[in-house]
Amino acid sequence: MATEIRGESATEDKGKPARSKRTTPPLFVRQVAAELRKVIWPTRKELITYTAVSLVFVLIMVAIVSALDWALQKGIFAIFG
């Protein structure tokens, strides 16, 4: 028959994943705690370094955007007065 492919019905849903059971809240908390134990936490020195690098990067980006904003503002005022 045209609706069958090698003995399987064409109406069967092979693409859908099987339904799984819901995770209970206590199991979820245990799994989260187990995953957090696997995390390699930074040392205090690394954390300070990462924070300083992030702040410097943000300050540089703020300076660039502010400079572009100022330049565009001056350009628009010069054109349209």
Side-chain angles (χ1 to χ4, degrees):
M1 184 184 273
T3 60
E4 292 181 353
I5 301 171
R6 296 190 186 257
E8 295 178 12
S9 172
T11 59
E12 288 180 355
D13 234 352
K14 292 286 184 179
K16 286 189 177 178
R19 288 186 59 114
S20 61
K21 288 186 170 183
R22 292 186 64 153
T23 303
T24 62
L27 176 60
F28 176 76
V29 170
R30 283 194 305 271
Q31 289 174 343
V32 168
E35 289 298 318
L36 286 175
R37 278 192 290 276
K38 296 178 188 178
V39 173
I40 299 173
W41 298 97
T43 63
R44 178 180 286 280
K45 184 178 178 183
E46 290 172 335
L47 185 62
I48 291 170
T49 302
Y50 297 155
T51 303
V53 168
S54 298
L55 288 175
V56 168
F57 175 77
V58 168
L59 290 174
I60 290 170
M61 292 308 296
V62 165
I64 291 171
V65 170
S66 296
L68 286 172
D69 182 49
W70 178 81
L72 290 172
Q73 175 189 356
K74 291 295 181 183
I76 294 296
F77 282 146
I79 293 171
F80 296 108

